[in-house]
Amino acid sequence: FIGEVGAIEARALEFESDEAMQVEDLISLQSKLYKIKSEMVGEFQSGNIDGADTLSTFLMQVNDVNENLTRMILHERNPRDPRVHPD
């Protein structure tokens, strides 16, 4: 699961330098991220994954990637949105 989140993060970084980036691509990555998160939490709840620390680390990574994707989506929709470049 952590590797999948890392792959989404890497793809998002590629999009940052891609002039042809589409907001739909970012939304698709965000949807994949939510799906992976749900699967991981489900596996944890089922007892298939041990360790609250593992889950906590995973959720922090998911949150970081999600924040970056959200910022990129906001920028594509409205570059002047203050949430894009918080001071």
Side-chain angles (χ1 to χ4, degrees):
F1 292 104
I2 292 172
E4 291 178 72
V5 174
I8 289 174
E9 184 173 33
R11 188 70 181 122
L13 291 173
E14 289 174 15
F15 278 140
E16 279 190 308
S17 62
D18 185 355
E19 296 293 323
M21 175 181 62
Q22 300 291 319
V23 72
E24 292 81 14
D25 296 322
L26 297 170
I27 292 170
S28 175
L29 286 178
Q30 200 169 45
S31 294
K32 289 177 186 176
L33 185 65
Y34 292 145
K35 181 180 177 198
I36 294 166
K37 177 184 170 186
S38 293
E39 289 174 10
M40 173 70 159
V41 170
E43 290 294 313
F44 180 78
Q45 289 174 333
S46 297
N48 296 329
I49 296 174
D50 291 329
D53 289 341
T54 301
L55 181 62
S56 177
T57 300
F58 171 78
L59 292 175
M60 286 188 323
Q61 182 186 16
V62 167
N63 188 51
D64 288 346
V65 173
N66 185 54
E67 285 180 7
N68 190 39
L69 287 168
T70 299
R71 180 190 53 78
M72 293 170 69
I73 291 166
L74 289 171
H75 176 74
E76 285 302 305
R77 289 185 173 163
N78 182 3
R80 294 182 176 196
D81 189 312
R83 294 171 291 180
V84 174
H85 304 285
D87 293 346

